[in-house]
């Protein structure tokens, strides 16, 4: 099983909601062993949050019981 989350890298106001929902999902019994892939979308937009900023805000390094990866991307160009 995998959880795939797409983060809007320009939406600094709602990143806290993303964090809250992410940890709720990962705590769910059915997802105990699920891998996690986070797409940091809109990396082409000036002044967006970087992958490092998003990772730090979501505290990804504290996730020990799930394999995870964060990937910069741009849905418009297909990059990432």
């Amino acid at each position: 099983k995998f959880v795939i989350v797409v983060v809007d890298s320009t939406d600094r106001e709602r990143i806290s909601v993303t964090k809250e929902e992410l940890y709720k999902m990962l705590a769910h019994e059915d997802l105990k062993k699920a891998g996690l892939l986070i797409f940091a979308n809109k990396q082409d937009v000036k002044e967006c949050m970087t992958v490092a900023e998003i990772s730090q805000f979501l505290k990804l390094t504290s996730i020990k019981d799930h394999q995870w990866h964060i990937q910069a991307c741009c849905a418009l160009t297909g990059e990432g």
Side-chain angles (χ1 to χ4, degrees):
K1 293 182 183 179
F2 260 88
V3 174
I4 299 173
V5 177
V6 179
V7 174
D8 180 341
S9 300
T10 66
D11 195 348
R12 294 174 188 273
E13 292 179 14
R14 291 194 307 191
I15 191 79
S16 58
V17 174
T18 302
K19 179 181 175 185
E20 187 178 315
E21 293 300 320
L22 172 64
Y23 282 91
K24 280 184 195 175
M25 283 190 296
L26 294 179
H28 193 279
E29 175 118 4
D30 292 341
L31 300 175
K32 288 277 188 215
K33 297 185 182 202
L36 172 63
L37 174 59
I38 298 175
F39 283 112
N41 193 27
K42 298 187 181 178
Q43 288 294 302
D44 59 318
V45 178
K46 196 173 185 177
E47 309 219 3
C48 70
M49 291 179 283
T50 66
V51 167
E53 286 176 291
I54 293 169
S55 177
Q56 187 174 22
F57 190 86
L58 296 178
K59 298 192 182 323
L60 296 181
T61 57
S62 71
I63 298 174
K64 304 293 185 202
D65 47 351
H66 298 269
Q67 286 188 331
W68 60 268
H69 178 75
I70 184 166
Q71 177 67 49
C73 68
C74 173
L76 292 177
T77 64
E79 189 174 338

